Amino acid sequence: MGDVAARFAEIVGDTNLLSGEAIPEDYAHDEALTTTAQRPAHLAKPGSAEEVAELLKAATEHGVPVTARGSGTGLSGGATPREDSLVISFERMNAVLEIDTENHVAVVQPGVTLSDLDEKTTAAGLGYTVYPGELSASVGGNVGTNAGGMRAVKYGVTRHNVVGLQAVLPTGEIIRTGGKTSKVSTGYDLTQLIIGSEGTLAIATEVIVKLYPRLPHGATVFAPFETFDEVMTVVPKIISSGLAPHILEYIDNLTLAAISYNEKLSLGVPDAIRDKAQAYLVVALENRDSDRLHADVEELGGLLGDVGAMDVYVLEGPSARKLIEAREKAFWTAKAAGADDVIDVVVPRSAMPEFLRKAREMALSREAGALGCGHAGDGNVHLAIFCKDPEKRKQLLTDIFALGMELGGAISGEHGLGRAKSGYFLDLEDPAKIALMRRIKESFDPAGILNPGVLFAEGLEK
């Protein structure tokens, strides 16, 4: 065992350090479709923030790159390590430390999964509302990518739901940012700077998240439309109605057919409607009072009918849950169908019809496909890209990302850039902003050890 490996083992214990071929293949990748798996040199499983601090100090001293890893459910290659790197896995740091029912927050370690947190908060009648579609995802991973999900239309994304962090800098200092307070105006907001930085600035070792009361009554409304434009026209009307949906999604006809087949989903849509429908809208409402919920559903149904819905279906209980679960598995459906990439461009809601129309035209002009679904309520478009030729696909994605940015959006709304999209970011983003981000990176991580190759190209961290 080399000197650096011996030092890592001394910090976490021999049983919590693996090196070389002893590291399981799962730690070589996340779920991104376009990055190449790479087994790291070392894998450490710390049990405390202090052990993380010592690992980072040793890594800085020896010039070893470091990638933090939660559950590995990311879709951008942010958890794909380098060959010479140390992966810090938070599977041992997976405790819910506190459920604070007075301040409506939970204090958790980064390895806590959304499933674990949901189970622990249920007993208190509370819940954490960020749910990016995979219950095995970790809270720390959510912090790294600023994860969103279907409920963001009402509750926001991770950065709206994290009020404080304990984090370790690559130089080994342990800092606390924010806290159990709901607001702060004291110096730079380091909490928000670290959230979404994809493990390139600091490593979160404790997270304070907001909790909300669980509302006991819910219903899901499902409506087919003949055109995408009709779907997108109704979205702002729903938002401005005051109905406050916690899920507002669109699904194109091919994607719905695929997830329905894979998940054995039967929605009772007649063939005559299904054959004409090009897109579907899924709207989930919740309320603490069943009568108010039914009134909201009735109002929503009338609104959808007024703007051209071919029909309106109200789903409750198991049927509603099955539809939402099927939608959440759209990525796995696309992967099984042979998608070559999955992207998550975000644009203003009003720009979604133009973006979708032009993106599809761009794909067709290259004999490729761009199909999918998305968070209609917040403009986050998830497209499965079918284009086998790597060069054609690269140009297609460059054009689609550029289109999204021209319309006032960004390359990624919630998956992050990771290794998969960092090249497009560097090519398309304002050079002045990139230069500023590099200076921020250097101030946090002067040795450039944290996730090199993520956000910035290899060798350009400093």
Side-chain angles (χ1 to χ4, degrees):
M1 181 180 289
D3 290 345
V4 67
R7 177 61 185 135
F8 292 156
E10 181 182 317
I11 295 167
V12 297
D14 290 341
T15 59
N16 295 312
L17 181 79
L18 298 175
S19 295
E21 294 298 319
I23 300 173
E25 179 64 24
D26 280 351
Y27 295 94
H29 62 87
D30 57 15
E31 297 298 338
L33 297 179
T34 58
T35 55
T36 302
Q38 176 60 66
R39 183 180 276 111
H42 310 285
L43 167 68
K45 302 176 183 180
S48 68
E50 290 73 22
E51 289 184 0
V52 174
E54 290 301 315
L55 287 170
L56 289 182
K57 282 200 296 186
T60 294
E61 179 183 345
H62 290 273
V64 177
V66 175
T67 293
R69 180 183 176 89
S71 300
T73 61
L75 299 175
S76 63
T80 301
R82 285 197 345 188
E83 182 180 14
D84 56 347
S85 70
L86 165 69
V87 166
I88 296 179
S89 172
F90 286 105
E91 58 204 86
R92 291 178 62 219
M93 294 178 65
N94 61 354
V96 175
L97 301 174
E98 182 185 6
I99 303 292
D100 184 338
T101 58
E102 292 186 351
N103 291 303
H104 286 81
V105 298
V107 183
V108 307
Q109 292 183 313
V112 168
T113 66
L114 299 181
S115 178
D116 292 337
L117 183 55
D118 191 62
E119 180 181 342
K120 293 293 197 307
T121 55
T122 297
L126 300 171
Y128 177 57
T129 55
V130 177
Y131 181 34
E134 179 54 66
L135 277 172
S136 66
S138 69
V139 174
N142 285 185
V143 168
T145 61
N146 185 33
M150 288 195 286
R151 299 172 188 173
V153 63
K154 181 176 181 179
Y155 294 107
V157 297
T158 300
R159 71 170 66 258
H160 303 124
N161 290 278
V162 171
V163 293
L165 297 171
Q166 179 191 70
V168 181
L169 302 179
T171 45
E173 294 111 326
I174 300 174
I175 63 170
R176 284 195 175 272
T177 70
K180 292 184 178 181
T181 58
S182 59
K183 58 184 178 181
V184 63
S185 185
T186 307
Y188 298 133
D189 194 337
L190 298 177
T191 304
Q192 295 303 321
L193 189 56
I194 293 170
I195 294 171
S197 63
E198 302 190 54
T200 63
L201 300 181
I203 294 180
T205 49
E206 193 173 288
V207 187
I208 305 175
V209 301
K210 290 182 183 179
L211 301 179
Y212 291 85
R214 290 177 182 266
L215 300 181
H217 303 286
T220 299
V221 175
F222 177 68
F225 289 83
E226 287 196 52
T227 68
F228 278 100
D229 284 354
E230 287 176 315
V231 170
M232 298 311 164
T233 298
V234 74
V235 168
K237 296 180 184 296
I238 295 172
I239 297 294
S240 62
S241 70
L243 291 170
H246 67 285
I247 292 176
L248 183 50
E249 299 284 302
Y250 85 88
I251 309 174
D252 70 25
N253 55 347
L254 294 177
T255 300
L256 182 67
I259 64 175
S260 296
Y261 176 80
N262 278 6
E263 301 301 319
K264 297 179 175 56
L265 184 65
S266 178
L267 297 168
V269 180
D271 291 346
I273 291 180
R274 188 170 60 245
D275 292 344
K276 290 183 179 180
Q278 292 298 306
Y280 297 81
L281 197 66
V282 179
V283 188
L285 301 175
E286 58 184 357
N287 206 296
R288 62 185 180 86
D289 182 272
S290 61
D291 290 339
R292 291 180 182 179
L293 176 66
H294 290 147
D296 286 348
V297 169
E298 186 174 342
E299 181 180 344
L300 175 61
L303 192 158
L304 293 170
D306 290 344
V307 296
M310 301 169 70
D311 205 341
V312 177
Y313 306 88
V314 180
L315 309 175
E316 297 185 26
S319 297
R321 286 194 296 273
K322 196 164 185 179
L323 172 60
I324 298 303
E325 288 170 0
R327 160 61 187 92
E328 286 164 345
K329 294 176 181 177
F331 165 75
W332 301 106
T333 300
K335 183 177 180 179
D340 299 293
D341 206 345
V342 174
I343 61 175
D344 72 315
V345 176
V346 62
V347 296
R349 281 194 302 264
S350 60
M352 285 186 76
E354 181 179 357
F355 176 80
L356 283 166
R357 182 174 63 255
K358 290 184 176 179
R360 290 170 182 276
E361 290 172 355
M362 289 174 177
L364 287 173
S365 71
R366 292 175 172 84
E367 299 180 328
L371 312 171
C373 48
H375 310 317
D378 57 29
N380 196 185
V381 180
H382 294 251
L383 292 176
I385 303 299
F386 294 84
C387 183
K388 295 300 180 188
D389 185 290
E391 291 304 314
K392 284 185 179 180
R393 185 169 67 249
K394 181 179 179 180
Q395 189 56 56
L396 172 60
L397 291 183
T398 299
D399 293 345
I400 290 176
F401 293 146
L403 169 65
M405 294 173 73
E406 288 166 9
L407 293 173
I411 292 172
S412 174
E414 58 188 20
H415 293 170
L417 298 169
R419 298 183 185 279
K421 304 297 186 294
S422 60
Y424 301 101
F425 167 69
L426 295 174
D427 287 342
L428 296 172
E429 187 54 271
D430 178 358
K433 288 169 62 177
I434 292 173
L436 175 59
M437 290 181 192
R438 284 203 177 106
R439 294 196 295 275
I440 293 170
K441 162 72 171 172
E442 185 172 3
S443 69
F444 273 80
D445 182 19
I449 66 161
L450 289 186
N451 236 5
V454 170
L455 301 190
F456 309 110
E458 295 281 3
L460 296 178
E461 279 76 18
K462 297 179 65 177

